[in-house]
Amino acid sequence: MIIRVNESEMMQAAIIHSQSWKASHTGICSPEFIELHTPEHQRQYLENAVAKGAELYMLVDRGPVGIVSVNGSLIENLYVLPQEQNKGYGTQLLMFAVNKCNNTPSLWILNSNQGAKRLYERNGFCPTGNVVHHKDGLFELELAFKI
């Protein structure tokens, strides 16, 4: 079941975000930067996203499993708990988010996140050619949904 996150679920969404973000960014970011992403920090991040118009959703299956947010046609914050990955939850959240978009769905991923890239491409997303460069050879790629 996918529910819209309200204030009472926000900390659980932040815990999912924190654990998943740390797992996906280990080896990319410094240990000091990784440790900044506590549940409290991620709660503030998610609350700010909602305040700016994002709709935040949580997938629950015997307990909270993953989150995703949609702002217009931009899909963000798709995170599944590390121990719950590769069970179809990411695909379920992604397709839910695609259906919530009000135009062509798009998203951004780090070039080093090959697992996410495979998930998105397997589900109809293609690179647009838009890139944002960061330091140390990292960059983000924009992907858009192609029917």
mmCIF file of all heavy atoms in Angstrom, residues 10-26 33-46 67 77-83 85:
data_model
loop_
_atom_site.group_PDB
_atom_site.id
_atom_site.type_symbol
_atom_site.label_atom_id
_atom_site.label_comp_id
_atom_site.label_asym_id
_atom_site.label_seq_id
_atom_site.Cartn_x
_atom_site.Cartn_y
_atom_site.Cartn_z
ATOM 1 N N MET A 10 6.240 11.397 9.018
ATOM 2 C CA MET A 10 7.420 12.084 8.477
ATOM 3 C C MET A 10 8.731 11.526 9.040
ATOM 4 O O MET A 10 9.700 11.362 8.297
ATOM 5 C CB MET A 10 7.328 13.586 8.732
ATOM 6 C CG MET A 10 8.400 14.382 8.032
ATOM 7 S SD MET A 10 8.381 14.266 6.211
ATOM 8 C CE MET A 10 6.976 15.300 5.815
ATOM 9 N N MET A 11 8.776 11.208 10.331
ATOM 10 C CA MET A 11 10.038 10.691 10.882
ATOM 11 C C MET A 11 10.356 9.322 10.294
ATOM 12 O O MET A 11 11.522 9.024 10.012
ATOM 13 C CB MET A 11 10.006 10.637 12.401
ATOM 14 C CG MET A 11 11.327 10.164 12.998
ATOM 15 S SD MET A 11 12.814 11.014 12.367
ATOM 16 C CE MET A 11 12.893 12.404 13.465
ATOM 17 N N GLN A 12 9.358 8.477 10.078
ATOM 18 C CA GLN A 12 9.636 7.177 9.467
ATOM 19 C C GLN A 12 10.144 7.356 8.040
ATOM 20 O O GLN A 12 11.069 6.662 7.612
ATOM 21 C CB GLN A 12 8.400 6.281 9.476
ATOM 22 C CG GLN A 12 8.694 4.875 9.026
ATOM 23 C CD GLN A 12 9.757 4.168 9.848
ATOM 24 O OE1 GLN A 12 9.666 4.072 11.050
ATOM 25 N NE2 GLN A 12 10.795 3.672 9.182
ATOM 26 N N ALA A 13 9.561 8.296 7.304
ATOM 27 C CA ALA A 13 10.053 8.591 5.957
ATOM 28 C C ALA A 13 11.500 9.079 6.016
ATOM 29 O O ALA A 13 12.331 8.702 5.187
ATOM 30 C CB ALA A 13 9.154 9.628 5.283
ATOM 31 N N ALA A 14 11.817 9.881 7.025
ATOM 32 C CA ALA A 14 13.173 10.404 7.181
ATOM 33 C C ALA A 14 14.168 9.290 7.521
ATOM 34 O O ALA A 14 15.315 9.315 7.071
ATOM 35 C CB ALA A 14 13.186 11.485 8.257
ATOM 36 N N ILE A 15 13.736 8.325 8.301
ATOM 37 C CA ILE A 15 14.600 7.180 8.629
ATOM 38 C C ILE A 15 14.908 6.384 7.361
ATOM 39 O O ILE A 15 16.058 6.002 7.112
ATOM 40 C CB ILE A 15 13.948 6.302 9.718
ATOM 41 C CG1 ILE A 15 13.945 7.057 11.054
ATOM 42 C CG2 ILE A 15 14.659 4.954 9.840
ATOM 43 C CD1 ILE A 15 13.075 6.421 12.126
ATOM 44 N N ILE A 16 13.885 6.134 6.546
ATOM 45 C CA ILE A 16 14.092 5.434 5.269
ATOM 46 C C ILE A 16 15.070 6.219 4.410
ATOM 47 O O ILE A 16 16.022 5.661 3.845
ATOM 48 C CB ILE A 16 12.756 5.225 4.528
ATOM 49 C CG1 ILE A 16 11.871 4.235 5.288
ATOM 50 C CG2 ILE A 16 12.998 4.765 3.081
ATOM 51 C CD1 ILE A 16 10.441 4.182 4.794
ATOM 52 N N HIS A 17 14.849 7.530 4.296
ATOM 53 C CA HIS A 17 15.711 8.381 3.480
ATOM 54 C C HIS A 17 17.144 8.333 3.997
ATOM 55 O O HIS A 17 18.084 8.156 3.215
ATOM 56 C CB HIS A 17 15.174 9.814 3.476
ATOM 57 C CG HIS A 17 15.753 10.671 2.404
ATOM 58 N ND1 HIS A 17 17.034 11.169 2.473
ATOM 59 C CD2 HIS A 17 15.223 11.127 1.250
ATOM 60 C CE1 HIS A 17 17.270 11.911 1.404
ATOM 61 N NE2 HIS A 17 16.181 11.894 0.637
ATOM 62 N N SER A 18 17.322 8.469 5.293
ATOM 63 C CA SER A 18 18.660 8.483 5.888
ATOM 64 C C SER A 18 19.392 7.169 5.635
ATOM 65 O O SER A 18 20.532 7.161 5.136
ATOM 66 C CB SER A 18 18.550 8.746 7.390
ATOM 67 O OG SER A 18 19.801 8.626 8.023
ATOM 68 N N GLN A 19 18.774 6.052 5.963
ATOM 69 C CA GLN A 19 19.431 4.750 5.804
ATOM 70 C C GLN A 19 19.751 4.467 4.340
ATOM 71 O O GLN A 19 20.846 3.989 4.014
ATOM 72 C CB GLN A 19 18.553 3.638 6.375
ATOM 73 C CG GLN A 19 18.444 3.664 7.878
ATOM 74 C CD GLN A 19 17.533 2.561 8.412
ATOM 75 O OE1 GLN A 19 17.094 1.677 7.686
ATOM 76 N NE2 GLN A 19 17.249 2.620 9.693
ATOM 77 N N SER A 20 18.815 4.745 3.465
ATOM 78 C CA SER A 20 18.997 4.444 2.043
ATOM 79 C C SER A 20 20.013 5.378 1.404
ATOM 80 O O SER A 20 20.840 4.946 0.597
ATOM 81 C CB SER A 20 17.659 4.530 1.318
ATOM 82 O OG SER A 20 16.741 3.652 1.910
ATOM 83 N N TRP A 21 19.950 6.663 1.769
ATOM 84 C CA TRP A 21 20.891 7.643 1.220
ATOM 85 C C TRP A 21 22.312 7.279 1.635
ATOM 86 O O TRP A 21 23.224 7.282 0.809
ATOM 87 C CB TRP A 21 20.536 9.052 1.686
ATOM 88 C CG TRP A 21 21.304 10.100 0.960
ATOM 89 C CD1 TRP A 21 20.907 10.792 -0.148
ATOM 90 C CD2 TRP A 21 22.627 10.578 1.275
ATOM 91 N NE1 TRP A 21 21.904 11.660 -0.538
ATOM 92 C CE2 TRP A 21 22.962 11.540 0.319
ATOM 93 C CE3 TRP A 21 23.546 10.272 2.268
ATOM 94 C CZ2 TRP A 21 24.177 12.215 0.324
ATOM 95 C CZ3 TRP A 21 24.774 10.937 2.279
ATOM 96 C CH2 TRP A 21 25.075 11.893 1.309
ATOM 97 N N LYS A 22 22.482 6.954 2.903
ATOM 98 C CA LYS A 22 23.819 6.586 3.374
ATOM 99 C C LYS A 22 24.343 5.367 2.627
ATOM 100 O O LYS A 22 25.511 5.329 2.215
ATOM 101 C CB LYS A 22 23.789 6.309 4.877
ATOM 102 C CG LYS A 22 23.689 7.565 5.721
ATOM 103 C CD LYS A 22 23.646 7.211 7.201
ATOM 104 C CE LYS A 22 23.602 8.450 8.057
ATOM 105 N NZ LYS A 22 23.661 8.127 9.502
ATOM 106 N N ALA A 23 23.505 4.362 2.437
ATOM 107 C CA ALA A 23 23.926 3.148 1.735
ATOM 108 C C ALA A 23 24.310 3.443 0.284
ATOM 109 O O ALA A 23 25.298 2.902 -0.222
ATOM 110 C CB ALA A 23 22.828 2.093 1.793
ATOM 111 N N SER A 24 23.544 4.307 -0.380
ATOM 112 C CA SER A 24 23.806 4.565 -1.801
ATOM 113 C C SER A 24 24.957 5.545 -2.030
ATOM 114 O O SER A 24 25.492 5.600 -3.135
ATOM 115 C CB SER A 24 22.540 5.077 -2.497
ATOM 116 O OG SER A 24 22.188 6.357 -2.038
ATOM 117 N N HIS A 25 25.341 6.307 -1.012
ATOM 118 C CA HIS A 25 26.402 7.303 -1.188
ATOM 119 C C HIS A 25 27.722 6.923 -0.516
ATOM 120 O O HIS A 25 28.706 7.643 -0.654
ATOM 121 C CB HIS A 25 25.917 8.663 -0.681
ATOM 122 C CG HIS A 25 24.915 9.291 -1.595
ATOM 123 N ND1 HIS A 25 23.611 8.843 -1.684
ATOM 124 C CD2 HIS A 25 25.014 10.305 -2.480
ATOM 125 C CE1 HIS A 25 22.968 9.573 -2.579
ATOM 126 N NE2 HIS A 25 23.790 10.451 -3.076
ATOM 127 N N THR A 26 27.748 5.791 0.190
ATOM 128 C CA THR A 26 28.990 5.322 0.779
ATOM 129 C C THR A 26 29.969 4.996 -0.340
ATOM 130 O O THR A 26 29.609 4.357 -1.321
ATOM 131 C CB THR A 26 28.742 4.086 1.668
ATOM 132 O OG1 THR A 26 27.891 4.482 2.744
ATOM 133 C CG2 THR A 26 30.039 3.526 2.232
ATOM 134 N N PHE A 33 30.648 13.518 5.621
ATOM 135 C CA PHE A 33 29.448 14.003 4.937
ATOM 136 C C PHE A 33 28.312 12.993 5.064
ATOM 137 O O PHE A 33 27.166 13.359 5.276
ATOM 138 C CB PHE A 33 29.759 14.290 3.466
ATOM 139 C CG PHE A 33 28.637 14.978 2.735
ATOM 140 C CD1 PHE A 33 28.243 16.257 3.086
ATOM 141 C CD2 PHE A 33 27.973 14.343 1.691
ATOM 142 C CE1 PHE A 33 27.208 16.900 2.411
ATOM 143 C CE2 PHE A 33 26.953 14.971 1.016
ATOM 144 C CZ PHE A 33 26.567 16.264 1.372
ATOM 145 N N ILE A 34 28.635 11.713 4.961
ATOM 146 C CA ILE A 34 27.628 10.652 5.118
ATOM 147 C C ILE A 34 26.962 10.769 6.483
ATOM 148 O O ILE A 34 25.740 10.700 6.595
ATOM 149 C CB ILE A 34 28.275 9.248 4.955
ATOM 150 C CG1 ILE A 34 28.819 9.056 3.541
ATOM 151 C CG2 ILE A 34 27.307 8.142 5.352
ATOM 152 C CD1 ILE A 34 27.816 8.770 2.479
ATOM 153 N N GLU A 35 27.752 10.956 7.523
ATOM 154 C CA GLU A 35 27.213 10.996 8.883
ATOM 155 C C GLU A 35 26.324 12.201 9.147
ATOM 156 O O GLU A 35 25.531 12.184 10.090
ATOM 157 C CB GLU A 35 28.340 10.911 9.909
ATOM 158 C CG GLU A 35 28.946 9.527 9.989
ATOM 159 C CD GLU A 35 27.903 8.412 10.135
ATOM 160 O OE1 GLU A 35 27.029 8.501 11.016
ATOM 161 O OE2 GLU A 35 27.958 7.452 9.342
ATOM 162 N N LEU A 36 26.414 13.239 8.341
ATOM 163 C CA LEU A 36 25.530 14.403 8.498
ATOM 164 C C LEU A 36 24.077 14.065 8.178
ATOM 165 O O LEU A 36 23.167 14.762 8.612
ATOM 166 C CB LEU A 36 25.982 15.550 7.596
ATOM 167 C CG LEU A 36 27.312 16.205 7.924
ATOM 168 C CD1 LEU A 36 27.657 17.236 6.865
ATOM 169 C CD2 LEU A 36 27.295 16.820 9.312
ATOM 170 N N HIS A 37 23.861 12.997 7.429
ATOM 171 C CA HIS A 37 22.528 12.647 6.931
ATOM 172 C C HIS A 37 21.775 11.761 7.931
ATOM 173 O O HIS A 37 21.362 10.653 7.633
ATOM 174 C CB HIS A 37 22.640 12.026 5.549
ATOM 175 C CG HIS A 37 23.090 13.018 4.533
ATOM 176 N ND1 HIS A 37 24.401 13.408 4.425
ATOM 177 C CD2 HIS A 37 22.397 13.743 3.625
ATOM 178 C CE1 HIS A 37 24.497 14.327 3.471
ATOM 179 N NE2 HIS A 37 23.308 14.550 2.973
ATOM 180 N N THR A 38 21.582 12.321 9.106
ATOM 181 C CA THR A 38 20.836 11.652 10.169
ATOM 182 C C THR A 38 19.346 11.688 9.855
ATOM 183 O O THR A 38 18.902 12.496 9.016
ATOM 184 C CB THR A 38 21.068 12.367 11.509
ATOM 185 O OG1 THR A 38 20.538 13.698 11.391
ATOM 186 C CG2 THR A 38 22.543 12.408 11.886
ATOM 187 N N PRO A 39 18.548 10.872 10.515
ATOM 188 C CA PRO A 39 17.096 10.969 10.317
ATOM 189 C C PRO A 39 16.553 12.371 10.597
ATOM 190 O O PRO A 39 15.683 12.852 9.869
ATOM 191 C CB PRO A 39 16.537 9.936 11.301
ATOM 192 C CG PRO A 39 17.610 8.897 11.370
ATOM 193 C CD PRO A 39 18.895 9.698 11.335
ATOM 194 N N GLU A 40 17.074 13.044 11.598
ATOM 195 C CA GLU A 40 16.613 14.395 11.908
ATOM 196 C C GLU A 40 16.934 15.364 10.770
ATOM 197 O O GLU A 40 16.110 16.205 10.396
ATOM 198 C CB GLU A 40 17.237 14.887 13.222
ATOM 199 C CG GLU A 40 16.792 14.118 14.446
ATOM 200 C CD GLU A 40 17.450 12.741 14.607
ATOM 201 O OE1 GLU A 40 18.500 12.445 13.954
ATOM 202 O OE2 GLU A 40 16.893 11.920 15.363
ATOM 203 N N HIS A 41 18.159 15.240 10.227
ATOM 204 C CA HIS A 41 18.557 16.085 9.101
ATOM 205 C C HIS A 41 17.684 15.803 7.885
ATOM 206 O O HIS A 41 17.217 16.732 7.203
ATOM 207 C CB HIS A 41 20.031 15.817 8.762
ATOM 208 C CG HIS A 41 20.562 16.649 7.649
ATOM 209 N ND1 HIS A 41 20.476 16.262 6.331
ATOM 210 C CD2 HIS A 41 21.176 17.856 7.655
ATOM 211 C CE1 HIS A 41 21.029 17.191 5.573
ATOM 212 N NE2 HIS A 41 21.460 18.169 6.337
ATOM 213 N N GLN A 42 17.435 14.521 7.603
ATOM 214 C CA GLN A 42 16.642 14.164 6.430
ATOM 215 C C GLN A 42 15.167 14.534 6.623
ATOM 216 O O GLN A 42 14.478 14.834 5.657
ATOM 217 C CB GLN A 42 16.804 12.685 6.107
ATOM 218 C CG GLN A 42 18.243 12.292 5.772
ATOM 219 C CD GLN A 42 18.928 13.248 4.814
ATOM 220 O OE1 GLN A 42 19.725 14.087 5.234
ATOM 221 N NE2 GLN A 42 18.625 13.156 3.545
ATOM 222 N N ARG A 43 14.702 14.533 7.852
ATOM 223 C CA ARG A 43 13.329 14.990 8.112
ATOM 224 C C ARG A 43 13.189 16.451 7.693
ATOM 225 O O ARG A 43 12.230 16.812 7.011
ATOM 226 C CB ARG A 43 12.963 14.811 9.583
ATOM 227 C CG ARG A 43 11.556 15.300 9.874
ATOM 228 C CD ARG A 43 11.186 15.202 11.331
ATOM 229 N NE ARG A 43 9.829 15.684 11.504
ATOM 230 C CZ ARG A 43 8.924 15.091 12.243
ATOM 231 N NH1 ARG A 43 9.206 13.973 12.897
ATOM 232 N NH2 ARG A 43 7.715 15.589 12.331
ATOM 233 N N GLN A 44 14.149 17.248 8.090
ATOM 234 C CA GLN A 44 14.106 18.668 7.713
ATOM 235 C C GLN A 44 14.159 18.817 6.187
ATOM 236 O O GLN A 44 13.422 19.609 5.605
ATOM 237 C CB GLN A 44 15.253 19.417 8.379
ATOM 238 C CG GLN A 44 15.197 20.903 8.163
ATOM 239 C CD GLN A 44 16.258 21.621 8.962
ATOM 240 O OE1 GLN A 44 17.404 21.188 9.030
ATOM 241 N NE2 GLN A 44 15.871 22.732 9.563
ATOM 242 N N TYR A 45 15.010 18.033 5.549
ATOM 243 C CA TYR A 45 15.117 18.054 4.087
ATOM 244 C C TYR A 45 13.766 17.708 3.450
ATOM 245 O O TYR A 45 13.305 18.399 2.531
ATOM 246 C CB TYR A 45 16.210 17.073 3.637
ATOM 247 C CG TYR A 45 16.197 16.800 2.165
ATOM 248 C CD1 TYR A 45 16.798 17.679 1.274
ATOM 249 C CD2 TYR A 45 15.567 15.664 1.649
ATOM 250 C CE1 TYR A 45 16.781 17.428 -0.097
ATOM 251 C CE2 TYR A 45 15.551 15.411 0.290
ATOM 252 C CZ TYR A 45 16.149 16.298 -0.573
ATOM 253 O OH TYR A 45 16.122 16.059 -1.917
ATOM 254 N N LEU A 46 13.130 16.638 3.910
ATOM 255 C CA LEU A 46 11.845 16.220 3.341
ATOM 256 C C LEU A 46 10.742 17.236 3.636
ATOM 257 O O LEU A 46 9.914 17.519 2.763
ATOM 258 C CB LEU A 46 11.453 14.835 3.865
ATOM 259 C CG LEU A 46 12.334 13.677 3.390
ATOM 260 C CD1 LEU A 46 11.977 12.401 4.131
ATOM 261 C CD2 LEU A 46 12.236 13.483 1.879
ATOM 262 N N ILE A 67 10.168 5.297 0.033
ATOM 263 C CA ILE A 67 9.520 6.591 -0.189
ATOM 264 C C ILE A 67 9.795 7.075 -1.603
ATOM 265 O O ILE A 67 10.730 6.623 -2.262
ATOM 266 C CB ILE A 67 9.987 7.658 0.820
ATOM 267 C CG1 ILE A 67 11.493 7.920 0.693
ATOM 268 C CG2 ILE A 67 9.596 7.290 2.244
ATOM 269 C CD1 ILE A 67 12.005 9.127 1.469
ATOM 270 N N ASN A 77 13.654 11.596 -4.542
ATOM 271 C CA ASN A 77 13.664 10.895 -3.255
ATOM 272 C C ASN A 77 13.100 9.488 -3.320
ATOM 273 O O ASN A 77 12.415 9.056 -2.397
ATOM 274 C CB ASN A 77 12.913 11.717 -2.203
ATOM 275 C CG ASN A 77 13.517 13.084 -2.030
ATOM 276 O OD1 ASN A 77 14.713 13.212 -1.820
ATOM 277 N ND2 ASN A 77 12.700 14.118 -2.141
ATOM 278 N N LEU A 78 13.386 8.765 -4.388
ATOM 279 C CA LEU A 78 12.965 7.374 -4.445
ATOM 280 C C LEU A 78 14.015 6.563 -3.704
ATOM 281 O O LEU A 78 15.129 6.371 -4.197
ATOM 282 C CB LEU A 78 12.812 6.902 -5.886
ATOM 283 C CG LEU A 78 11.984 5.623 -6.057
ATOM 284 C CD1 LEU A 78 11.495 5.487 -7.473
ATOM 285 C CD2 LEU A 78 12.636 4.383 -5.573
ATOM 286 N N TYR A 79 13.654 6.129 -2.512
ATOM 287 C CA TYR A 79 14.564 5.364 -1.665
ATOM 288 C C TYR A 79 13.830 4.177 -1.085
ATOM 289 O O TYR A 79 12.711 4.303 -0.596
ATOM 290 C CB TYR A 79 15.109 6.228 -0.513
ATOM 291 C CG TYR A 79 16.106 7.258 -0.992
ATOM 292 C CD1 TYR A 79 15.726 8.578 -1.197
ATOM 293 C CD2 TYR A 79 17.423 6.896 -1.244
ATOM 294 C CE1 TYR A 79 16.633 9.522 -1.639
ATOM 295 C CE2 TYR A 79 18.339 7.835 -1.695
ATOM 296 C CZ TYR A 79 17.946 9.144 -1.884
ATOM 297 O OH TYR A 79 18.860 10.057 -2.330
ATOM 298 N N VAL A 80 14.475 3.022 -1.137
ATOM 299 C CA VAL A 80 13.974 1.792 -0.535
ATOM 300 C C VAL A 80 15.022 1.349 0.477
ATOM 301 O O VAL A 80 16.227 1.401 0.195
ATOM 302 C CB VAL A 80 13.734 0.705 -1.607
ATOM 303 C CG1 VAL A 80 13.350 -0.620 -0.972
ATOM 304 C CG2 VAL A 80 12.664 1.160 -2.593
ATOM 305 N N LEU A 81 14.558 0.923 1.654
ATOM 306 C CA LEU A 81 15.490 0.449 2.671
ATOM 307 C C LEU A 81 16.445 -0.573 2.070
ATOM 308 O O LEU A 81 16.018 -1.435 1.285
ATOM 309 C CB LEU A 81 14.730 -0.178 3.838
ATOM 310 C CG LEU A 81 13.965 0.794 4.740
ATOM 311 C CD1 LEU A 81 13.072 0.019 5.704
ATOM 312 C CD2 LEU A 81 14.921 1.702 5.498
ATOM 313 N N PRO A 82 17.726 -0.503 2.403
ATOM 314 C CA PRO A 82 18.703 -1.421 1.800
ATOM 315 C C PRO A 82 18.312 -2.897 1.915
ATOM 316 O O PRO A 82 18.453 -3.647 0.945
ATOM 317 C CB PRO A 82 19.993 -1.130 2.577
ATOM 318 C CG PRO A 82 19.838 0.290 3.016
ATOM 319 C CD PRO A 82 18.364 0.464 3.311
ATOM 320 N N GLN A 83 17.781 -3.309 3.039
ATOM 321 C CA GLN A 83 17.413 -4.715 3.231
ATOM 322 C C GLN A 83 16.149 -5.099 2.467
ATOM 323 O O GLN A 83 15.817 -6.284 2.379
ATOM 324 C CB GLN A 83 17.259 -5.041 4.727
ATOM 325 C CG GLN A 83 16.096 -4.369 5.407
ATOM 326 C CD GLN A 83 16.419 -2.993 5.989
ATOM 327 O OE1 GLN A 83 17.363 -2.334 5.582
ATOM 328 N NE2 GLN A 83 15.610 -2.567 6.951
ATOM 329 N N GLN A 85 15.612 -3.937 -0.808
ATOM 330 C CA GLN A 85 15.855 -3.719 -2.231
ATOM 331 C C GLN A 85 15.825 -5.030 -2.991
ATOM 332 O O GLN A 85 15.952 -6.111 -2.423
ATOM 333 C CB GLN A 85 17.178 -2.983 -2.420
ATOM 334 C CG GLN A 85 17.105 -1.564 -1.883
ATOM 335 C CD GLN A 85 18.406 -0.807 -1.992
ATOM 336 O OE1 GLN A 85 19.403 -1.301 -2.498
ATOM 337 N NE2 GLN A 85 18.388 0.422 -1.506
#
